[in-house]
Amino acid sequence: MTRPSRNTWFGERLSDQGIYVQYLDDHHPVHMPCLEIRRLDWAHAAKEAKRLEMRLVAVWAADANKRAGKDASERRLCTYMAFAHPEHRHVLLRTELSAAKPEIPSLSGHYIAACRMERSMQDMFGLNVSNAFDNRLWIKHEHWPEDSHALLRAFDAHTPLRPEPERIGMDYDYVSCDSECVYEIPVGPVHAGIIESGHFRFLAVGEKILNMEERLGYVHKGIERSMQGRTAQDGIALAGRVSGDSTVGHAWAFAQACEYAANLDIPPRASYLRGVLCERERIANHIGDIGAVCNDAAFAFMHGQCLRLREEMARLHQEIFGHRLLMDAVTIGGVASDLSGDMCQKLIRQTLDIAAEVEHLRAIYADAPSIQQRVIGAGIVSVVDAKDLGLLGFVGRASGHYSDERIEEAYPPYDDLIIPVPEGKLGGVSTRVWVRFEEIANASRMVIQLLETLPEGEINTVWQAPEAGVSGFAAIESWRGEIAAWVRFGMDARIDRYFVRDPSVINWLGLELAVRTVPVPDFPLVNKSFNCSYSGNDL
Amino acid sequence: MLRILHQIFKVGTITEPLASSERFDVLGAQLKTAVRQRFQGSLAIRLVDAGSCNGCELEIHAANNAYYDIERFGMHFTASPRFADLLLVTGPVSINMKTALEMTYDAMPSPKLVVAMGDCAVNCGVFGKGNYAIAGTVADIIPVDAVIHGCPPSPTDLIQGILACLNDA
């Protein structure tokens, strides 16, 4: 494999603006470099990225590890931000904060999607984001003791937090309205159906939703902190459970970040098998969600049929990969199990059958006025808003924002495939369902092509952890959209910091826009068409 | 409409005849008896995700599909804890969900059966005890009648766990 050369495009643009940049040698891969910039250039660099029409990927923090020998409490904090350009891939920027007063200007003036990530950063590290228009707590709920910042080294991460008595019952400062005509509907964290936990606060006038505000963080499990101190092989089981429905995507993103950090190439057969797993996961989730969307509009026939197809996939996954949801199938350096010729044939046959059945159901769905009248025109996110938020995956692709890491980043095995992009523009529930139908068909073709051209050879590379201080970054297109993972290794081959951004972190913002002006009873329908992850957001 | 009927007819009944899976057969029959005898043929279940990764929820959905059709045993999922007989809890109990879980439990009428579903609910699973964000296992927070191991447990495991809970009740 030829090594791609260093990606200097954004670095050069920043230099043109008089921003001093320095490429970090302890970060891989070189085509997604990490640049150190001065703190005073932080907001300026983001402004320049916005001008170049780059997409904000993530904002996060970590303690600096250059002087790892020093006392942990003396370590300074660093903040990172990552951007992506459709033609020029990803770039990470890093800056070091002052030890006395850890403060960084907010990016939310340039990128609104930065806001919640900055709030998480404040909660977890106790640093101060200045000029932010929203400084409320996010993951750290009101009852946490004020000085608990879970990702600081000094924080005791092994004892369950005890709520501070005087903080219990403190309420989150929701967006509210003084008008007598407007009423509030609180929903959750325990929802009516079989779904994850989170809170929605509606402001409604009559039947119409004026505003819906999300309050998440309920299923925060301390995943980032729990990853610290694990080896890569030990950590991948945890990464695969960031969000159980995208276990392949998250495990792959984690594995690839580790492999990039260690400069490790995996065998072609392993990357093909990862592709098969990921595309099968995409098909299964899209089928399940199409059924659920229809069910929320009382078109139960479709739900029954989709659940049946999904179950058939799960059973074959159990038989071939040993797990109904494909958990633990991706390993560091490769995949857990190989496929025999027979198994390949079985997978091909079932993928063909399922694709044909979905096409048949699609014709019925498209022809049924009872469902069409509910989905067409419901829950619209405009092209302008989608671009502004940087919506990801099928949600973005339904609203004219077509980022797809399988094409832009073209990591193996996708460099060998042609990936069609369903170009939706109308941005409603029906468009999102349409994109999902298209993606099922495309993913089926990919699974079959990958299996038919499966290269011979090993399915694993021997894992060799990188030196302490080395970091790796990966961007994987899971079924929901791009998962960005950043892993830094510490002493003894153990992970020192793991950051992951599930596509839901961004797409949840899209849902808030989509439900404005729809009637309250349409909320479940619109929500299902997004199906954002709570667990992936809360970590 | 004709196409819908045709499709339904073509697929036919796929609900596993009780004979096709031995384990399911015995379980199903016992379960039906237990639900009939103890709950007048109707067992209302309330699910609380106390911090799961969503894997368990997918398998609960699967238990409702036509293959397992959990409703044929008289079990159904309800939207309110007020009329739930059984509380099914998934995930390690996060510190941010602890109060909501306790409130849901308190809102239930007796007998307040509780089943902890999945390794996380039973022993905090991969997220681990000794984690600042996790208040404990489900049993650390509310009384638990039965536990179901697995990451996630399969739909058959789920049915078995509920049966164990009913038999002990």
Side-chain angles (χ1 to χ4, degrees):
Chain A
M1 192 174 140
T2 52
R3 295 249 168 231
S5 52
R6 174 176 271 178
N7 175 2
T8 58
W9 180 79
F10 189 46
E12 286 163 14
R13 303 280 102 61
L14 290 178
S15 298
D16 291 348
Q17 290 292 316
I19 296 174
Y20 174 76
V21 300
Q22 188 190 353
Y23 290 86
L24 296 178
D25 290 330
D26 55 4
H27 175 85
H28 303 298
V30 289
H31 64 269
M32 296 194 275
C34 186
L35 279 58
E36 175 102 43
I37 60 170
R38 291 174 303 179
R39 191 165 68 248
L40 54 94
D41 290 329
W42 184 254
H44 186 190
K47 187 179 169 194
E48 182 61 9
K50 183 80 180 178
R51 194 184 65 80
L52 294 166
E53 303 202 330
M54 295 178 91
R55 169 171 66 81
L56 177 76
V57 175
V59 186
W60 70 97
D63 48 9
N65 76 331
K66 273 191 178 160
R67 292 166 289 276
K70 268 194 178 180
D71 184 11
S73 59
E74 284 175 34
R75 289 197 198 176
R76 287 183 174 200
L77 290 178
C78 284
T79 49
Y80 291 77
M81 54 183 168
F83 297 99
H85 188 279
E87 286 155 36
H88 303 286
R89 298 179 149 178
H90 290 67
V91 182
L92 280 62
L93 300 181
R94 180 181 95 169
T95 197
E96 207 174 278
L97 307 188
S98 123
K101 193 171 173 234
E103 190 175 79
I104 196 81
S106 173
L107 308 178
S108 49
H110 305 295
Y111 291 97
I112 191 68
C115 189
R116 283 182 183 169
M117 290 186 264
E118 288 176 342
R119 286 164 66 190
S120 289
M121 206 159 81
Q122 290 192 119
D123 290 352
M124 292 296 145
F125 286 95
L127 54 85
N128 180 32
V129 178
S130 59
N131 302 331
F133 60 84
D134 188 351
N135 258 318
R136 291 173 297 174
L137 300 173
W138 182 239
I139 299 297
K140 178 182 163 190
H141 278 197
E142 284 67 25
H143 63 87
W144 292 31
E146 207 164 351
D147 61 344
S148 44
H149 301 293
L151 288 174
L152 286 181
R153 298 271 163 191
F155 176 79
D156 170 20
H158 298 294
T159 322
L161 270 180
R162 293 200 161 278
E164 215 159 74
E166 59 269 31
R167 298 185 68 86
I168 293 176
M170 270 174 70
D171 205 10
Y172 183 71
D173 185 17
Y174 289 97
V175 173
S176 59
C177 182
D178 291 332
S179 166
E180 278 184 12
C181 321
V182 177
Y183 60 96
E184 289 189 10
I185 315 173
V187 179
V190 179
H191 293 294
I194 303 168
I195 45 170
E196 300 177 78
S197 298
H199 184 87
F200 302 124
R201 185 65 63 94
F202 296 86
L203 293 179
V205 179
E207 281 235 300
K208 287 244 161 97
I209 298 171
L210 201 62
N211 189 56
M212 186 278 286
E213 190 178 6
E214 294 148 4
R215 173 77 174 118
L216 303 175
Y218 286 92
V219 291
H220 173 68
K221 295 178 276 293
I223 289 176
E224 287 171 277
R225 187 75 198 232
S226 176
M227 188 64 92
Q228 295 177 5
R230 294 187 193 225
T231 60
Q233 286 105 324
D234 190 23
I236 196 162
L238 181 63
R241 284 156 182 82
V242 165
S243 177
D245 46 30
S246 7
T247 178
V248 175
H250 274 287
W252 192 352
F254 175 77
Q256 185 143 308
C258 292
E259 288 151 10
Y260 273 149
N263 267 325
L264 196 72
D265 285 329
I266 65 163
R269 190 175 175 89
S271 71
Y272 268 60
L273 291 175
R274 283 182 181 180
V276 169
L277 292 165
C278 192
E279 295 308 316
R280 290 273 300 188
E281 180 174 82
R282 193 181 315 276
I283 298 169
N285 279 296
H286 282 336
I287 289 179
D289 281 358
I290 289 172
V293 167
C294 291
N295 194 44
D296 278 337
F299 192 45
F301 157 79
M302 196 73 174
H303 188 47
Q305 298 290 328
C306 287
L307 278 178
R308 170 178 68 88
L309 295 179
R310 190 174 189 165
E311 175 66 20
E312 283 167 11
M313 293 187 76
R315 288 183 176 198
L316 193 61
H317 289 157
Q318 173 73 41
E319 184 188 327
I320 292 182
F321 299 105
H323 197 285
R324 285 166 53 90
L325 306 177
L326 300 172
M327 281 178 174
D328 308 320
V330 174
T331 59
I332 299 288
V335 288
S337 57
D338 204 355
L339 292 183
S340 67
D342 261 9
M343 290 170 171
C344 284
Q345 284 313 312
K346 261 190 182 170
L347 275 170
I348 291 175
R349 235 182 354 257
Q350 193 198 44
T351 308
L352 278 171
D353 287 348
I354 299 253
E357 290 229 38
V358 169
E359 279 308 306
H360 180 63
L361 291 173
R362 182 183 188 169
I364 295 176
Y365 158 86
D367 235 14
S370 64
I371 177 76
Q372 290 302 320
Q373 290 193 356
R374 289 293 302 279
V375 295
I376 292 174
I380 288 175
V381 183
S382 70
V383 174
V384 176
D385 287 341
K387 193 175 172 201
D388 205 32
L389 294 176
L391 295 183
L392 297 167
F394 64 87
V395 173
R397 288 192 274 278
S399 293
H401 193 251
Y402 308 126
S403 72
D404 188 332
E405 293 318 305
R406 293 172 297 175
I407 298 169
E408 290 168 18
E409 170 54 13
Y411 49 93
Y414 298 107
D415 49 350
D416 291 342
L417 299 177
I418 292 167
I419 294 131
V421 179
E423 297 189 350
K425 283 198 171 59
L426 298 175
V429 175
S430 65
T431 322
R432 283 186 285 279
V433 171
W434 174 79
V435 171
R436 284 162 180 260
F437 272 122
E438 289 289 305
E439 290 197 359
I440 293 170
N442 295 337
S444 307
R445 277 194 287 275
M446 281 181 233
V447 169
I448 290 159
Q449 192 186 340
L450 287 169
L451 287 169
E452 280 177 344
T453 56
L454 195 60
E456 292 298 325
E458 298 290 316
I459 56 157
N460 257 306
T461 309
V462 179
W463 166 247
Q464 178 84 48
E467 290 171 34
V470 176
S471 60
F473 176 84
I476 294 290
E477 190 77 11
S478 73
W479 72 272
R480 272 201 186 90
E482 175 208 56
I483 294 174
W486 180 79
V487 175
R488 188 177 67 200
F489 284 84
M491 304 301 280
D492 307 324
R494 284 176 195 280
I495 289 159
D496 164 70
R497 177 86 174 92
Y498 163 60
F499 169 79
V500 61
R501 204 240 43 244
D502 188 271
S504 309
V505 172
I506 312 246
N507 286 356
W508 273 118
L509 298 165
L511 177 66
E512 287 190 337
L513 292 184
V515 298
R516 283 193 191 157
T517 76
V518 306
V520 178
D522 265 1
F523 173 74
L525 182 76
V526 179
N527 187 22
K528 261 290 166 236
S529 76
F530 279 78
N531 194 9
C532 296
S533 167
Y534 299 71
S535 183
N537 179 81
D538 299 351
L539 296 179
Chain B
M1 193 67 209
L2 270 181
R3 272 199 292 181
I4 295 179
L5 293 175
H6 180 251
Q7 173 73 10
I8 293 171
F9 182 72
K10 194 176 77 187
V11 174
T13 305
I14 54 166
T15 306
E16 299 201 314
L18 294 179
S20 81
S21 147
E22 219 172 275
R23 221 165 138 216
F24 207 61
D25 173 22
V26 180
L27 279 178
Q30 289 176 1
L31 193 57
K32 215 169 176 175
T33 315
V35 171
R36 194 176 58 232
Q37 285 176 350
R38 292 164 200 267
F39 294 94
Q40 311 273 317
S42 162
L43 179 78
I45 304 173
R46 172 64 250 188
L47 167 84
V48 172
D49 167 358
S52 94
C53 73
N54 202 26
C56 286
E57 280 68 26
L58 289 179
E59 291 300 52
I60 298 171
H61 278 294
N64 281 298
N65 72 31
Y67 281 95
Y68 302 100
D69 190 17
I70 196 171
E71 291 207 5
R72 76 184 136 145
F73 307 122
M75 295 192 283
H76 61 276
F77 287 85
T78 164
S80 168
R82 286 286 184 211
F83 38 85
D85 304 302
L86 188 149
L87 187 65
L88 184 62
V89 189
T90 61
V93 183
S94 75
I95 48 163
N96 289 350
M97 269 305 286
K98 181 169 171 273
T99 310
L101 176 64
E102 288 167 340
M103 286 171 74
T104 308
Y105 180 76
D106 290 342
M108 283 172 67
S110 291
K112 290 179 183 278
L113 297 181
V114 177
V115 175
M117 176 188 182
D119 287 344
C120 294
V122 178
N123 57 27
C124 296
V126 72
F127 304 106
K129 279 193 169 185
N131 176 335
Y132 72 92
I134 293 174
T137 65
V138 177
D140 292 336
I141 313 298
I142 52 175
V144 168
D145 297 285
V147 298
I148 309 172
H149 293 273
C151 184
S154 69
T156 314
D157 296 336
L158 172 63
I159 291 168
Q160 191 169 25
I162 293 176
L163 175 66
C165 176
L166 297 188
N167 281 340
D168 293 347

PDB file of all heavy atoms in Angstrom, chain A residues 400-418:
ATOM      1  N   GLY A 400     -29.652  17.700   1.255  1.00  0.00           N
ATOM      2  CA  GLY A 400     -28.686  18.363   0.377  1.00  0.00           C
ATOM      3  C   GLY A 400     -27.276  18.469   0.913  1.00  0.00           C
ATOM      4  O   GLY A 400     -26.457  19.228   0.397  1.00  0.00           O
ATOM      5  N   HIS A 401     -26.952  17.722   1.964  1.00  0.00           N
ATOM      6  CA  HIS A 401     -25.595  17.774   2.521  1.00  0.00           C
ATOM      7  C   HIS A 401     -25.008  16.366   2.420  1.00  0.00           C
ATOM      8  O   HIS A 401     -25.352  15.487   3.198  1.00  0.00           O
ATOM      9  CB  HIS A 401     -25.671  18.238   3.986  1.00  0.00           C
ATOM     10  CG  HIS A 401     -24.349  18.630   4.548  1.00  0.00           C
ATOM     11  ND1 HIS A 401     -23.696  17.878   5.484  1.00  0.00           N
ATOM     12  CD2 HIS A 401     -23.561  19.691   4.297  1.00  0.00           C
ATOM     13  CE1 HIS A 401     -22.545  18.470   5.797  1.00  0.00           C
ATOM     14  NE2 HIS A 401     -22.443  19.569   5.088  1.00  0.00           N
ATOM     15  N   TYR A 402     -24.131  16.177   1.429  1.00  0.00           N
ATOM     16  CA  TYR A 402     -23.818  14.808   1.025  1.00  0.00           C
ATOM     17  C   TYR A 402     -22.475  14.274   1.527  1.00  0.00           C
ATOM     18  O   TYR A 402     -21.795  13.555   0.810  1.00  0.00           O
ATOM     19  CB  TYR A 402     -23.889  14.682  -0.502  1.00  0.00           C
ATOM     20  CG  TYR A 402     -25.184  15.200  -1.077  1.00  0.00           C
ATOM     21  CD1 TYR A 402     -25.191  16.155  -2.087  1.00  0.00           C
ATOM     22  CD2 TYR A 402     -26.394  14.726  -0.589  1.00  0.00           C
ATOM     23  CE1 TYR A 402     -26.390  16.638  -2.602  1.00  0.00           C
ATOM     24  CE2 TYR A 402     -27.595  15.200  -1.100  1.00  0.00           C
ATOM     25  CZ  TYR A 402     -27.589  16.159  -2.105  1.00  0.00           C
ATOM     26  OH  TYR A 402     -28.767  16.629  -2.601  1.00  0.00           O
ATOM     27  N   SER A 403     -22.056  14.670   2.716  1.00  0.00           N
ATOM     28  CA  SER A 403     -20.767  14.158   3.179  1.00  0.00           C
ATOM     29  C   SER A 403     -20.869  12.644   3.399  1.00  0.00           C
ATOM     30  O   SER A 403     -21.844  12.151   3.952  1.00  0.00           O
ATOM     31  CB  SER A 403     -20.357  14.853   4.476  1.00  0.00           C
ATOM     32  OG  SER A 403     -21.161  14.405   5.541  1.00  0.00           O
ATOM     33  N   ASP A 404     -19.888  11.922   2.917  1.00  0.00           N
ATOM     34  CA  ASP A 404     -19.848  10.470   3.091  1.00  0.00           C
ATOM     35  C   ASP A 404     -18.382  10.062   3.154  1.00  0.00           C
ATOM     36  O   ASP A 404     -17.656  10.182   2.167  1.00  0.00           O
ATOM     37  CB  ASP A 404     -20.558   9.776   1.924  1.00  0.00           C
ATOM     38  CG  ASP A 404     -20.708   8.276   2.157  1.00  0.00           C
ATOM     39  OD1 ASP A 404     -19.862   7.693   2.868  1.00  0.00           O
ATOM     40  OD2 ASP A 404     -21.672   7.682   1.634  1.00  0.00           O
ATOM     41  N   GLU A 405     -17.964   9.595   4.331  1.00  0.00           N
ATOM     42  CA  GLU A 405     -16.544   9.269   4.504  1.00  0.00           C
ATOM     43  C   GLU A 405     -16.093   8.100   3.647  1.00  0.00           C
ATOM     44  O   GLU A 405     -14.912   7.942   3.368  1.00  0.00           O
ATOM     45  CB  GLU A 405     -16.237   8.986   5.979  1.00  0.00           C
ATOM     46  CG  GLU A 405     -16.369  10.212   6.854  1.00  0.00           C
ATOM     47  CD  GLU A 405     -15.794  11.452   6.207  1.00  0.00           C
ATOM     48  OE1 GLU A 405     -14.611  11.434   5.821  1.00  0.00           O
ATOM     49  OE2 GLU A 405     -16.533  12.437   6.052  1.00  0.00           O
ATOM     50  N   ARG A 406     -17.042   7.277   3.216  1.00  0.00           N
ATOM     51  CA  ARG A 406     -16.647   6.167   2.339  1.00  0.00           C
ATOM     52  C   ARG A 406     -16.133   6.705   1.015  1.00  0.00           C
ATOM     53  O   ARG A 406     -15.347   6.063   0.330  1.00  0.00           O
ATOM     54  CB  ARG A 406     -17.843   5.243   2.098  1.00  0.00           C
ATOM     55  CG  ARG A 406     -18.300   4.497   3.340  1.00  0.00           C
ATOM     56  CD  ARG A 406     -19.586   3.748   3.095  1.00  0.00           C
ATOM     57  NE  ARG A 406     -20.693   4.657   2.772  1.00  0.00           N
ATOM     58  CZ  ARG A 406     -21.907   4.262   2.429  1.00  0.00           C
ATOM     59  NH1 ARG A 406     -22.174   2.984   2.330  1.00  0.00           N
ATOM     60  NH2 ARG A 406     -22.862   5.149   2.180  1.00  0.00           N
ATOM     61  N   ILE A 407     -16.575   7.916   0.657  1.00  0.00           N
ATOM     62  CA  ILE A 407     -16.122   8.527  -0.587  1.00  0.00           C
ATOM     63  C   ILE A 407     -14.993   9.509  -0.305  1.00  0.00           C
ATOM     64  O   ILE A 407     -13.955   9.498  -0.964  1.00  0.00           O
ATOM     65  CB  ILE A 407     -17.295   9.271  -1.263  1.00  0.00           C
ATOM     66  CG1 ILE A 407     -18.403   8.282  -1.604  1.00  0.00           C
ATOM     67  CG2 ILE A 407     -16.818  10.008  -2.514  1.00  0.00           C
ATOM     68  CD1 ILE A 407     -19.702   8.940  -2.016  1.00  0.00           C
ATOM     69  N   GLU A 408     -15.186  10.362   0.711  1.00  0.00           N
ATOM     70  CA  GLU A 408     -14.208  11.434   0.945  1.00  0.00           C
ATOM     71  C   GLU A 408     -12.922  10.895   1.533  1.00  0.00           C
ATOM     72  O   GLU A 408     -11.822  11.275   1.131  1.00  0.00           O
ATOM     73  CB  GLU A 408     -14.837  12.483   1.868  1.00  0.00           C
ATOM     74  CG  GLU A 408     -15.937  13.256   1.153  1.00  0.00           C
ATOM     75  CD  GLU A 408     -16.790  14.093   2.087  1.00  0.00           C
ATOM     76  OE1 GLU A 408     -16.353  14.358   3.221  1.00  0.00           O
ATOM     77  OE2 GLU A 408     -17.893  14.479   1.671  1.00  0.00           O
ATOM     78  N   GLU A 409     -13.057  10.033   2.501  1.00  0.00           N
ATOM     79  CA  GLU A 409     -11.881   9.478   3.164  1.00  0.00           C
ATOM     80  C   GLU A 409     -11.425   8.219   2.408  1.00  0.00           C
ATOM     81  O   GLU A 409     -10.230   7.897   2.357  1.00  0.00           O
ATOM     82  CB  GLU A 409     -12.250   9.225   4.622  1.00  0.00           C
ATOM     83  CG  GLU A 409     -11.339   8.466   5.506  1.00  0.00           C
ATOM     84  CD  GLU A 409      -9.928   8.994   5.579  1.00  0.00           C
ATOM     85  OE1 GLU A 409      -9.656  10.103   5.133  1.00  0.00           O
ATOM     86  OE2 GLU A 409      -9.089   8.242   6.071  1.00  0.00           O
ATOM     87  N   ALA A 410     -12.370   7.526   1.765  1.00  0.00           N
ATOM     88  CA  ALA A 410     -12.094   6.353   0.922  1.00  0.00           C
ATOM     89  C   ALA A 410     -11.140   5.370   1.558  1.00  0.00           C
ATOM     90  O   ALA A 410     -10.162   4.941   0.956  1.00  0.00           O
ATOM     91  CB  ALA A 410     -11.610   6.794  -0.459  1.00  0.00           C
ATOM     92  N   TYR A 411     -11.417   5.016   2.821  1.00  0.00           N
ATOM     93  CA  TYR A 411     -10.586   4.019   3.498  1.00  0.00           C
ATOM     94  C   TYR A 411     -10.923   2.644   2.935  1.00  0.00           C
ATOM     95  O   TYR A 411     -12.031   2.427   2.448  1.00  0.00           O
ATOM     96  CB  TYR A 411     -10.812   4.093   5.015  1.00  0.00           C
ATOM     97  CG  TYR A 411     -12.269   4.093   5.436  1.00  0.00           C
ATOM     98  CD1 TYR A 411     -12.923   2.906   5.762  1.00  0.00           C
ATOM     99  CD2 TYR A 411     -12.992   5.278   5.484  1.00  0.00           C
ATOM    100  CE1 TYR A 411     -14.259   2.916   6.131  1.00  0.00           C
ATOM    101  CE2 TYR A 411     -14.330   5.288   5.851  1.00  0.00           C
ATOM    102  CZ  TYR A 411     -14.959   4.100   6.167  1.00  0.00           C
ATOM    103  OH  TYR A 411     -16.287   4.102   6.520  1.00  0.00           O
ATOM    104  N   PRO A 412      -9.961   1.703   3.001  1.00  0.00           N
ATOM    105  CA  PRO A 412     -10.273   0.366   2.485  1.00  0.00           C
ATOM    106  C   PRO A 412     -11.411  -0.268   3.296  1.00  0.00           C
ATOM    107  O   PRO A 412     -11.478  -0.019   4.491  1.00  0.00           O
ATOM    108  CB  PRO A 412      -8.966  -0.431   2.695  1.00  0.00           C
ATOM    109  CG  PRO A 412      -7.959   0.520   3.240  1.00  0.00           C
ATOM    110  CD  PRO A 412      -8.613   1.803   3.567  1.00  0.00           C
ATOM    111  N   PRO A 413     -12.302  -1.026   2.696  1.00  0.00           N
ATOM    112  CA  PRO A 413     -12.295  -1.503   1.314  1.00  0.00           C
ATOM    113  C   PRO A 413     -13.003  -0.556   0.343  1.00  0.00           C
ATOM    114  O   PRO A 413     -13.136  -0.882  -0.828  1.00  0.00           O
ATOM    115  CB  PRO A 413     -13.108  -2.793   1.427  1.00  0.00           C
ATOM    116  CG  PRO A 413     -14.153  -2.453   2.445  1.00  0.00           C
ATOM    117  CD  PRO A 413     -13.453  -1.554   3.444  1.00  0.00           C
ATOM    118  N   TYR A 414     -13.467   0.618   0.819  1.00  0.00           N
ATOM    119  CA  TYR A 414     -14.309   1.454  -0.040  1.00  0.00           C
ATOM    120  C   TYR A 414     -13.543   2.094  -1.198  1.00  0.00           C
ATOM    121  O   TYR A 414     -14.144   2.604  -2.135  1.00  0.00           O
ATOM    122  CB  TYR A 414     -15.050   2.502   0.795  1.00  0.00           C
ATOM    123  CG  TYR A 414     -15.977   1.878   1.804  1.00  0.00           C
ATOM    124  CD1 TYR A 414     -15.689   1.879   3.158  1.00  0.00           C
ATOM    125  CD2 TYR A 414     -17.136   1.222   1.385  1.00  0.00           C
ATOM    126  CE1 TYR A 414     -16.532   1.274   4.081  1.00  0.00           C
ATOM    127  CE2 TYR A 414     -17.984   0.614   2.304  1.00  0.00           C
ATOM    128  CZ  TYR A 414     -17.685   0.639   3.648  1.00  0.00           C
ATOM    129  OH  TYR A 414     -18.514   0.026   4.546  1.00  0.00           O
ATOM    130  N   ASP A 415     -12.187   2.060  -1.110  1.00  0.00           N
ATOM    131  CA  ASP A 415     -11.426   2.586  -2.243  1.00  0.00           C
ATOM    132  C   ASP A 415     -11.585   1.685  -3.468  1.00  0.00           C
ATOM    133  O   ASP A 415     -11.303   2.087  -4.587  1.00  0.00           O
ATOM    134  CB  ASP A 415      -9.939   2.773  -1.870  1.00  0.00           C
ATOM    135  CG  ASP A 415      -9.343   1.540  -1.195  1.00  0.00           C
ATOM    136  OD1 ASP A 415     -10.115   0.627  -0.843  1.00  0.00           O
ATOM    137  OD2 ASP A 415      -8.124   1.495  -1.029  1.00  0.00           O
ATOM    138  N   ASP A 416     -12.053   0.457  -3.258  1.00  0.00           N
ATOM    139  CA  ASP A 416     -12.262  -0.456  -4.387  1.00  0.00           C
ATOM    140  C   ASP A 416     -13.704  -0.451  -4.893  1.00  0.00           C
ATOM    141  O   ASP A 416     -14.044  -1.193  -5.804  1.00  0.00           O
ATOM    142  CB  ASP A 416     -11.935  -1.900  -3.967  1.00  0.00           C
ATOM    143  CG  ASP A 416     -10.443  -2.089  -3.725  1.00  0.00           C
ATOM    144  OD1 ASP A 416      -9.670  -1.236  -4.202  1.00  0.00           O
ATOM    145  OD2 ASP A 416     -10.072  -3.071  -3.064  1.00  0.00           O
ATOM    146  N   LEU A 417     -14.556   0.355  -4.274  1.00  0.00           N
ATOM    147  CA  LEU A 417     -15.982   0.297  -4.615  1.00  0.00           C
ATOM    148  C   LEU A 417     -16.463   1.628  -5.177  1.00  0.00           C
ATOM    149  O   LEU A 417     -15.875   2.674  -4.908  1.00  0.00           O
ATOM    150  CB  LEU A 417     -16.817  -0.001  -3.371  1.00  0.00           C
ATOM    151  CG  LEU A 417     -16.583  -1.314  -2.630  1.00  0.00           C
ATOM    152  CD1 LEU A 417     -17.454  -1.367  -1.393  1.00  0.00           C
ATOM    153  CD2 LEU A 417     -16.895  -2.497  -3.524  1.00  0.00           C
ATOM    154  N   ILE A 418     -17.544   1.544  -5.913  1.00  0.00           N
ATOM    155  CA  ILE A 418     -18.206   2.778  -6.328  1.00  0.00           C
ATOM    156  C   ILE A 418     -19.390   2.973  -5.381  1.00  0.00           C
ATOM    157  O   ILE A 418     -20.210   2.063  -5.210  1.00  0.00           O
ATOM    158  CB  ILE A 418     -18.690   2.679  -7.781  1.00  0.00           C
ATOM    159  CG1 ILE A 418     -17.464   2.630  -8.695  1.00  0.00           C
ATOM    160  CG2 ILE A 418     -19.586   3.850  -8.141  1.00  0.00           C
ATOM    161  CD1 ILE A 418     -17.768   2.234 -10.105  1.00  0.00           C
TER     162      ILE A 418
END
